[in-house]
Every structure is written in structure tokens, then in C-alpha cells.
Amino acid sequence: MKEVLEHIEKGRQKALEELKEFLRFPSVSADPAYRKKTLACAEFVKDRLQSIGFKTNLLSTPGLPVVYGEWMGAKGAKTLLIYGHYDVQPPDPLDLWQSPPFEPEVRDGYLFARGVHDNKGQHFAHLKASEAFLKTKGRLPLNVKFFIEGEEEVGSPHMEEFLRAKKDLLRADYAAVSDSSLFTDGVPAILYGLRGIAFLEVVLTGPSHDLHSGGYGGTIANPAQVLIELLDGLKASGRVTLPGFYDDVIPPSDWEREAFAKLPFDEGAYLQTTGSLKLSGEEGFTTLERRWARPTLEVNGLYGGYAGSGVKTIIPSQAGAKVSMRLVPNQDPEKVSQIFEDYIRKKCPETVQIEVKYYGGGKPVLLDPRSPAMAAAGRAVEKGFGKAPVLIREGGSIPVVATLKEVLGLESLLIGFGGPDDRIHSPNERLAVENFYRGTLTAAHLLNELAS
Ligand code: BES
Ligand code: ZN
């Protein structure tokens, strides 16, 4: 192990430069305008894996391809499947970035770029760990398969079908996913739960074109106004008011509530990282319970009418909202989406046309926090970060984690090592250079711990 760790240490600068190269690809899955560059990004990952000694392939899906790589030279040993995603969230709003999102730059110990934390830096660390083994020992301690997809940030719409079709190819004993954060700076975490998600868009159309709000105001329904009234009915006092929304919710268990309460969580510091004025949420639950173990509904964006400078007096033709719901076990994305659609259609007045688009979602997961593999992952994290991890849930979603369990029977080891306030999905996304390094060490220890 010593040579492997030394190799990682000596290669720190080179690893950083390679990661920067990876980050220069604007691999935005949400926007078809980026498709060509996103495909080039997939090629880049494939080439890197190939160059360190993996047998690789780009596997097509109806959307963006999966990068697959395997090293199966450890006869009789177990197999680890490492998941990641090379796609990133859209970089907008661009003017809020201190350095351009796809021109990675190190400042104050952080590497800034879209996707550096979520998720390129994290799975690239796993790649560098495998490389360190192959360069120093000529082999890995167990068989390894890399499975890097390109549509996580749009809900992994093709992954269930893909996993079913590639069941044999992807078969493994363990899965590792580093796509989350440390609990707080310096305190690493292993996750045993993730929220699920369902996302929708509501589009209301009133008049066939924008109307003069004086000539028509008071006689023709305004879709922007109607939209506000519809959205207003979705939540009250931090609770989602859709009928039946909570029916399948399993509340956090007593041991969890006790464990959450014992975590070194500084609510004031948490609030401060958001820049918001005050905490808010469902009564009867703590902030950590609200984040990790309670469902929610959020309006992600609104549009309609004129929002440019100065005045424009119109009744807009159209208005819309993008809405997502975070789900907990045992809520089902399709079922809650149906509840949402039924409610909103029923409440919508006849004066406007309504369209509800369901974009998909991902199921929530709860994993066994006491499995031997989790313990091995815990030891790896402790060695990589010099501190034992806390066992937590998270509020974000990684749709493939539930699918890996359902289709391949694999419980993922969720060992993310980004910082807790790295501004993922936001301008100035970053990853501490030190966390990238420690993540690489952790990934190397993981191979070792799972093999022994
Ligand atoms: N890395 C995140 C998931 C995450 C966020 C885990 C915070 C733990 C804490 C992932 O890339 C992500 O953003 N997922 C999306 C999924 C969605 C688009 C289906 C999410 O959670 O919004
Ligand atoms: Zn993300």
C-alpha cells in the first residue's frame, strides 16, 4: 500500500492538471446545444481509463452514452463497480462566476469549475486511485468496473432500461458512488439514505398572444396570475398540501432521530452558508430531519410575461413553473407526480389551457448501514481523511442508487468527499484541492479494504 499512496502523493500536481482538462469539457446534459462537447467529454473519460489499463467501451443509450471500463485481472477476487457521472448542471447565470465555469482555476486552495465537485472530481479520484495501483503493482487488489453515465443531472432517464439490458456486464459484489459531501469541513460522512425526486413543469396558456393590459385587463384571465394561485395551494407552513402526498411516507425511526441529534451540526453555520435570513420548514422536525428524512416540494423556476427593465403593460400569453418534489421512502415518483397533476388540473380554471409535463424522477433509498462493506468503506474513509466518518442520510438524489439495488441487488457505498458548501448547481462551484487528494487516498484504501 505504501508505494500506492506515495505514487498518489507524488502525482498530486499531475492529477490536478488532468482533472482540469476533464473540466474544460462543457458536458451539460440538460441542453442539446452542448451535445457534441458532451460526447467529446465521454471520449475523454474513456481514453483516460484506457490509458491506465482498463478495457473500455462507450455504450450507447437513447440519450448520452455510458463510459464503461473494466479491469478483471484479479481471478477469484470480488468485483467493485464504481459509478459516476460526466455530465454537469447548466452553468448559468454566467455573470456570477468569478472565473469562467469551463476554465478551471485554483484560488485559495480550491479548484473552481462547473462539475468539479459534482461529479467529475469525485469519480476522477477513483480513476487516479486505480491508476496508482496499476502503475506501482501492475494490478488491482480486486476486479473493478467503471460505470460513468452522462445523464445523471437530468434524472438518469435511461438508466433503468440500461441496467436491465446490461445486467451481466455490470454484475459486481459492491458498488461505490462518490457523489456527495463531507458532513462538515474535516468530518467525512458515509450515507445510508438519499431522497428521491420527481420533477414536473406546468405550462398555462391564456390568450394566443400577449394582450394590452389596459385594453383587455379585467376581461381575460392572466395565466401568470392563475399560475400563482395554483402554486399557492401546494404548500402551507412547510407542509405539502397535495392530498395523499404523505400516505406512503415512512417517518425517520427513533434511533435515527437520536443519532441525527448527536451529530456535530451547527445550525447557525449551516444557515450562514446559504446567505438566507432564517431557517424555515415543517414543524415538529429538526433541520437535519427536514433535510434528509422528510419530503418537500420546491418551485425551481418561474416564467411568464415581461421581466425586463422598465415597464411593459401586458397580459402575457403564457406562464409556467418548474417544480420538483423530494421524496423519502416509500414514496414513488410516478405516484406523487400523478397526485400533483390530478390536483393541479382539477384546480385550474377553465379560462386557461393547462399542460403538465412529467420529466421523470428517481426513487428514494435507504441502505443497510451495518453491512460489512459499509464497515470497509468506513475504514477507507478514516484512512483517507484521518477521521472516522459519521453515518448520515442526505437530501439530494442519485437516481441510479435505487436502480442498482433493484436491478443488480447492489447496495451502494456512498462515500462522497466534496465540501459541504461547494456551491454545487450554483455559480462558483468548487472542490478543495486537499479534498480531491484525500478522496483519491480514500478510493485507494477502498480497493484495499474491500479486497481483504
Ligand atoms: N451529487 C448530486 C446528489 C447529491 C446532492 C447528493 C447533495 C447528496 C447531497 C447529484 O448530482 C444531483 O444533483 N442529483 C440531482 C438529481 C436529479 C436531477 C434527478 C438532484 O439531487 O437534484
Ligand atoms: Zn448534481
Side-chain angles (χ1 to χ4, degrees), residues 85 89 118 152-153 425:
H85 60 92
Q89 286 271 323
D118 185 8
E152 196 273 348
E153 296 292 9
H425 295 204

Side-chain angles (χ1 to χ4, degrees), residues 297-318:
L297 179 150
E298 306 296 335
V299 175
N300 302 125
L302 286 170
Y303 56 87
Y306 182 72
S309 67
V311 178
K312 189 180 185 205
T313 48
I314 55 163
I315 295 173
S317 164
Q318 226 176 36

Side-chain angles (χ1 to χ4, degrees), residues 85 89 117-119 152-156 179-181 191 194 197 199 326 361-362 394-399 424-425:
H85 60 92
Q89 286 271 323
H117 164 136
D118 185 8
N119 160 263
E152 196 273 348
E153 296 292 9
V154 291
S156 301
D179 193 18
S180 50
S181 310
L191 316 185
L194 285 166
I197 188 167
F199 31 81
R326 294 285 167 178
E394 254 298 355
S397 313
I398 309 174
I424 61 174
H425 295 204

Side-chain angles (χ1 to χ4, degrees), residues 206-265:
S208 61
H209 50 278
D210 291 354
L211 301 174
H212 188 287
S213 67
Y216 296 91
T219 67
I220 296 295
N222 181 331
Q225 189 79 38
V226 174
L227 183 69
I228 295 164
E229 288 160 17
L230 293 182
L231 296 177
D232 186 45
L234 295 173
K235 243 177 143 179
S237 317
R239 265 181 86 82
V240 180
T241 43
L242 290 169
F245 182 79
Y246 290 91
D247 282 2
D248 298 327
V249 168
I250 300 180
S253 47
D254 289 344
W255 75 263
E256 292 187 279
R257 299 188 82 163
E258 280 164 30
F260 292 178
K262 286 197 195 114
L263 288 167
F265 180 59

